[in-house]
Amino acid sequence: MNDTRRAGIRSTRRTAQAAMTISLAALAIQPAFAEAAAADADADAIVVNGQKDTVQSPKYTQPLLNTPQTIQIIKKDLFIQQGATTLTEALRNSPGIGTFYAGENGNTSTGDAVYMRGFDTSSSIFVDGIRDLGSISRDVFNTDQIEVEKGPAGTDNGRTAPTGAINMVSKQAKVGNAISGLVAAGVDGQKRATVDINQSLGDMPGAAFRLNAMWQDSDVPGRDHVRNRRIGVAPSIGLGLDGPTQAHLNLLYIKQDNVPDGFVPTIGLPYWAPQPGLEQLAGHPVDPENFYGTRSDHDHVTAQMATLIVAHDFSDAVRLTNSIRWGRTKENYLLTSFMSTGGTADAPMGGNITWTDVDDLSTYTMARSNPNVKDQSNEILTDQLNLRAEFATGGIRHSLSIGAEATRERQHTHAVTVSGTQPAANLYHPDWNEGTQSVARNGAGSRGQTDTISAYAFDTVKFFDEKLQVTGGVRVDHFDTDYFANALCNNGTGRSGVPCGSAPLGTIVTTADLKVKDTLFNWKLGAVYKPVKNASLYVNYALSQQPPGGANFALSTSTTSLDNPNLKPQKAKTIEAGAKWSTLGKKLVVNLAVFRTTVTNEINTQIVDDAGNPTQTGKKRIEGIELSATGNITERWAVTAGYSHLKTRVEEGAPVTSDGSPNLTYTPDDAVTTWTTYTLPFGLTVGGGVRYTSNLHRGTDGAVNTPVKTKSWAVLDALLSYPLGEHVLLRLNAYNLFDKKYVAGINKSGYRYTPGTPRTFLFSGDFQF
């Protein structure tokens, strides 16, 4: 029997043992709990447009008003109204979160490259509380709400980014009959249609079927040739929905056939200065619509997911839930990208930019010698068991949530060889018809696997007639990560150099065979004081950890990489205090939070050990304040608004920004997001909002004269909608109404940037029966 099979059997046994233990515990305590009155959590829930703000995870036992942490819920009604179709578009409703990072040096970022409070959060995206793997763009057609959990989330989810996690809550079958959907078209070639059908099964009481489907074939506004083409289908079956035992089987299939975006050069932008030999380009930025790739470029994605959720209510106070998920994502990606390096007057930018007439800008060309490729699959298999109970001990009430999880995650990357040459692209008028490329697997690659066994417990204890509530949680994760990689040897030097030793050139040789295992202990503790029933004052302290290989399943022998198995996990500690106030009849909630996050065990190249290697004495700190208001001011007037101010700095270690400032990269100091709508008496709804992001500092490397930061920007979006009877709603969305040109993201070297979306319009029709 091989090691993989033995590990799988051990994992299954541990899961079964944990399930049996918790189930027996539930049966043992159920009679006592059945006599206790269930907590009335709905009494403190916020109602916005008839919907309650509650978090899906059973680990949060209290309504948001009584939760000592910054958690934002973005509901589907809001992002549908705004015309958002992807996770990153919907996250515009949370201040300071965005895809500000455009890749490292020659590599271009893909998918949901989300930054939050100073750190990359792309590996901390969850669907229904289960990690969603793959650097892909996620559609929201099957999403009920998006939950943004800010601050360390390790106690809730295990290994995560230092500053939070994002959870997408899926639609699933429910009792009742309804049909809804939309058809949308934009002036820049956007086309999309969705449908949502829910049907009770009449011959099976408590049973229902739901089907969500999506089709899209859209150009990207303001970008030549970039395209998002995808289809999706998500059926769901619910059984026993009106009884003590409920079961949901949720399936998801998405296929994408996109043309990826390699972005555009920063030549001529603010903070850019010409390198020797490029003085003629000063004041002449390229057209932000330019596409520097070729017709060979593609991004093919297939995502599959199957989830079985079974829940049993032993009483009104005790609920046992078990979730099993299998998911797989495959991505095949080719992007013809450009990478420029410092040069001389005779060979500017390393010879990547040339010309035939120095005074004629139309003769300047730029090399496209850096193909970005990815042939990767991610797979997850997990079982999550949770017991949630409400009970009283004397005059003290408890809200308990305990559970166990067993998870196996795999990533397999195939190494490929790119054939074909790409002629240089005209700098100001590139032609994507020039050049062809072919990609073939060469037999090498890498594979990483992480097995995790977890146990956790949360409890909220209520004192003094519930005016004081104390919430605590602990989580233990035992993980085991294996990583293997090989490559074609070339005896080269630099980044791609692979020594051959005594083997012939082109031989596949092992480059990494590493493993790491450890046990992580995360915890959090918070207190809530309620001076009045509709207000809360709180303080919270939490710890989160990210072990080597925790973000990408790839281990490294580099002494400057946090993925080195000999290093300690990265730790994040956050203290947060704030106030939450529910007003206007529970229709509007106002939040204020101040926080400090300290991230330790970072790499510090300024302090080395006896062998001359960097040490883990690095420290980063994020301090900030966040304000938000969500809900209805009147029956006709709805508002969502948020502001964040961050002060980030490297406390110990070398600067990470190109301008040498102590700030963290790709993080705006100030960010604002607002959205408001007002419905007039005759049915017309008018609305809109402002989005503002202050400047971003890019990373540091050997690039010279490229922008060290981006300028701040603000855009105005607008909305008009009008109902045609009871079942149809017509809507017009306008984005960037004043056609502001801005830099939405920048890469580490500053040679490439993401242009902001120009002014564009989207027409849509919603229907509901």
Side-chain angles (χ1 to χ4, degrees):
M1 183 182 298
N2 59 37
D3 292 342
T4 301
R5 186 176 177 186
R6 288 192 184 99
I9 293 175
R10 289 196 299 268
S11 176
T12 303
R13 285 175 178 170
R14 286 193 289 263
T15 304
Q17 290 168 356
M20 183 176 295
T21 300
I22 295 179
S23 298
L24 290 175
L27 291 174
I29 62 178
Q30 184 266 339
F33 284 1
E35 296 175 0
D40 186 13
D42 288 345
D44 294 310
I46 308 302
V47 180
V48 181
N49 294 327
Q51 296 179 306
K52 294 178 180 178
D53 280 334
T54 56
V55 178
Q56 178 204 46
S57 172
K59 300 161 190 173
Y60 289 94
T61 61
Q62 303 304 304
L64 290 187
L65 183 65
N66 299 337
T67 300
Q69 187 176 353
T70 299
I71 299 177
Q72 181 182 3
I73 294 180
I74 306 171
K75 292 187 174 295
K76 71 176 186 300
D77 290 347
L78 177 60
F79 56 72
I80 289 176
Q81 186 182 69
Q82 296 173 339
T85 62
T86 64
L87 173 63
T88 54
E89 290 174 348
L91 288 174
R92 293 171 183 169
N93 291 288
S94 189
I97 300 181
T99 53
F100 308 124
Y101 178 60
E104 180 171 350
N105 300 324
N107 295 320
T108 301
S109 59
T110 62
D112 298 319
V114 178
Y115 264 68
M116 180 163 64
R117 290 189 178 178
F119 285 85
D120 187 351
T121 316
S122 307
S123 63
S124 298
I125 297 174
F126 298 78
V127 175
D128 301 324
I130 299 172
R131 195 181 308 275
D132 193 44
L133 304 177
S135 55
I136 63 172
S137 177
R138 294 163 177 84
D139 199 285
V140 295
F141 82 100
N142 191 46
T143 301
D144 249 338
Q145 65 184 33
I146 298 168
E147 300 166 354
V148 183
E149 179 183 353
K150 296 185 178 180
T155 312
D156 309 298
N157 302 303
R159 69 179 198 277
T160 53
T163 50
I166 297 163
N167 183 45
M168 305 174 69
V169 180
S170 301
K171 300 175 183 178
Q172 57 185 16
K174 57 186 178 181
V175 175
N177 299 329
I179 300 177
S180 62
L182 66 85
V183 177
V187 297
D188 293 283
Q190 301 121 294
K191 300 180 290 292
R192 179 178 172 91
T194 66
V195 65
D196 181 353
I197 303 171
N198 191 91
Q199 183 73 41
S200 290
L201 304 180
D203 55 345
M204 299 176 62
F209 172 78
R210 188 170 185 175
L211 176 66
N212 276 270
M214 171 273 300
W215 169 87
Q216 179 167 329
D217 188 355
S218 295
D219 296 335
V220 174
R223 301 292 297 124
D224 288 342
H225 309 308
V226 182
R227 184 188 66 209
N228 291 322
R229 177 183 293 171
R230 52 185 180 260
I231 59 171
V233 60
S236 172
I237 296 176
L239 301 175
L241 302 182
D242 57 355
T245 303
Q246 306 98 40
H248 286 276
L249 176 61
N250 305 324
L251 305 177
L252 176 69
Y253 176 85
I254 296 178
K255 189 174 183 63
Q256 302 184 30
D257 180 12
N258 306 323
V259 176
D261 196 343
F263 311 130
V264 294
T266 56
I267 290 171
L269 292 187
Y271 309 114
W272 178 89
Q275 292 182 352
L278 298 182
E279 290 81 4
Q280 298 295 102
L281 302 183
H284 297 285
V286 304
D287 188 336
E289 294 190 8
N290 283 356
F291 180 74
Y292 292 90
T294 71
R295 284 187 176 272
S296 302
D297 294 357
H298 60 266
D299 184 15
H300 302 316
V301 175
T302 302
Q304 299 165 280
M305 189 182 297
T307 308
L308 176 63
I309 305 171
V310 179
H312 179 71
D313 296 317
F314 292 95
S315 70
D316 291 340
V318 182
R319 182 177 180 86
L320 184 67
T321 305
N322 192 80
S323 302
I324 301 174
R325 160 81 55 82
W326 171 84
R328 181 171 61 193
T329 301
K330 291 184 177 181
E331 183 174 20
N332 186 291
Y333 176 94
L334 169 63
L335 171 67
T336 305
S337 185
F338 57 89
M339 178 180 176
S340 305
T341 56
T344 65
D346 295 327
M349 303 179 92
N352 283 303
I353 289 186
T354 59
W355 59 86
T356 56
D357 184 346
V358 69
D359 295 317
D360 185 354
L361 297 183
S362 67
T363 68
Y364 281 72
T365 60
M366 181 171 62
R368 296 180 293 183
S369 56
N370 187 55
N372 280 234
V373 292
K374 184 189 296 181
D375 186 349
Q376 187 177 89
S377 64
N378 288 273
E379 188 170 354
I380 186 170
L381 178 63
T382 186
D383 186 278
Q384 297 185 351
L385 187 65
N386 175 267
L387 174 68
R388 182 166 170 171
E390 304 278 349
F391 64 100
T393 55
I396 300 175
R397 296 181 62 175
H398 296 260
S399 299
L400 180 68
S401 178
I402 60 175
E405 302 174 3
T407 304
R408 166 165 290 177
E409 300 159 277
R410 290 174 172 170
Q411 183 178 94
H412 190 187
T413 302
H414 296 278
V416 299
T417 299
V418 181
S419 302
T421 59
Q422 298 299 322
N426 187 285
L427 182 61
Y428 288 94
H429 300 284
D431 184 356
W432 81 322
N433 291 300
E434 295 176 336
T436 58
Q437 291 182 123
S438 61
V439 179
R441 295 177 179 177
N442 58 31
S446 64
R447 58 181 183 269
Q449 176 175 303
T450 297
D451 293 329
T452 308
I453 299 294
S454 310
Y456 61 84
F458 296 85
D459 192 15
T460 297
V461 184
K462 301 177 181 180
F463 305 92
F464 308 117
D465 197 25
E466 302 189 11
K467 285 187 176 294
L468 177 63
Q469 303 180 14
V470 178
T471 297
V474 295
R475 182 184 179 103
V476 177
D477 294 277
H478 178 76
F479 70 91
D480 189 337
T481 297
D482 293 276
Y483 177 71
F484 175 84
N486 55 24
L488 298 180
C489 71
N490 55 14
N491 275 343
T493 59
R495 286 185 173 185
S496 59
V498 179
C500 290
S502 59
L505 286 173
T507 301
I508 296 178
V509 297
T510 298
T511 56
D513 190 358
L514 305 169
K515 70 180 305 174
V516 61
K517 60 181 178 180
D518 199 357
T519 300
L520 304 179
F521 179 76
N522 294 318
W523 61 275
K524 65 180 180 180
L525 181 65
V528 174
Y529 174 67
K530 298 180 67 62
V532 293
K533 189 171 182 61
N534 64 332
S536 299
L537 305 175
Y538 71 88
V539 63
N540 184 48
Y541 185 88
L543 169 69
S544 183
Q545 300 182 76
Q546 182 79 283
N552 55 13
F553 308 98
L555 299 175
S556 171
T557 57
S558 171
T559 59
T560 61
S561 172
L562 284 172
D563 292 323
N564 190 313
N566 297 319
L567 298 183
K568 302 174 184 177
Q570 178 192 56
K571 287 188 177 182
K573 301 174 183 177
T574 294
I575 183 168
E576 178 178 321
K580 301 182 181 184
W581 179 38
S582 169
T583 185
L584 301 180
K586 300 182 183 179
K587 293 183 179 180
L588 180 72
V589 62
V590 180
N591 297 330
L592 165 66
V594 293
F595 55 88
R596 171 184 284 181
T597 297
T598 303
V599 182
T600 58
N601 289 345
E602 292 280 300
I603 298 294
N604 187 352
T605 57
Q606 295 183 330
I607 299 179
V608 297
D609 60 20
D610 293 339
N613 296 319
T615 58
Q616 270 193 283
T617 57
K619 181 192 296 185
K620 297 174 181 176
R621 176 164 289 172
I622 307 100
E623 298 173 324
I625 181 172
E626 187 161 330
L627 294 165
S628 67
T630 304
N632 290 73
I633 296 175
T634 68
E635 184 178 348
R636 297 179 179 274
W637 185 9
V639 62
T640 297
Y643 165 72
S644 72
H645 172 74
L646 298 177
K647 180 181 179 181
T648 66
R649 64 184 298 114
V650 177
E651 295 283 322
E652 300 287 345
V656 296
T657 59
S658 56
D659 60 0
S661 65
N663 304 71
L664 299 187
T665 55
Y666 317 110
T667 300
D669 292 342
D670 295 281
V672 175
T673 178
T674 64
W675 183 261
T676 184
T677 59
Y678 187 85
T679 302
L680 299 170
F682 58 91
L684 178 69
T685 296
V686 295
V690 174
R691 291 179 285 122
Y692 168 81
T693 296
S694 63
N695 56 16
L696 308 172
H697 296 263
R698 71 166 177 86
T700 179
D701 58 10
V704 295
N705 290 7
T706 58
V708 296
K709 60 182 179 180
T710 67
K711 291 184 64 177
S712 60
W713 55 267
V715 297
L716 173 66
D717 302 325
L719 164 76
L720 287 175
S721 67
Y722 186 76
L724 295 180
E726 298 180 1
H727 305 297
V728 178
L729 178 74
L730 299 182
R731 186 171 58 244
L732 168 63
N733 290 95
Y735 306 98
N736 193 358
L737 201 57
F738 296 109
D739 202 22
K740 171 74 173 180
K741 289 182 170 57
Y742 62 98
V743 176
I746 191 167
N747 82 315
K748 183 177 181 180
S749 62
Y751 288 108
R752 182 171 55 248
Y753 80 99
T754 310
T757 302
R759 179 172 52 220
T760 188
F761 299 91
L762 181 70
F763 304 89
S764 60
D766 298 0
F767 61 88
Q768 186 171 0
F769 297 93

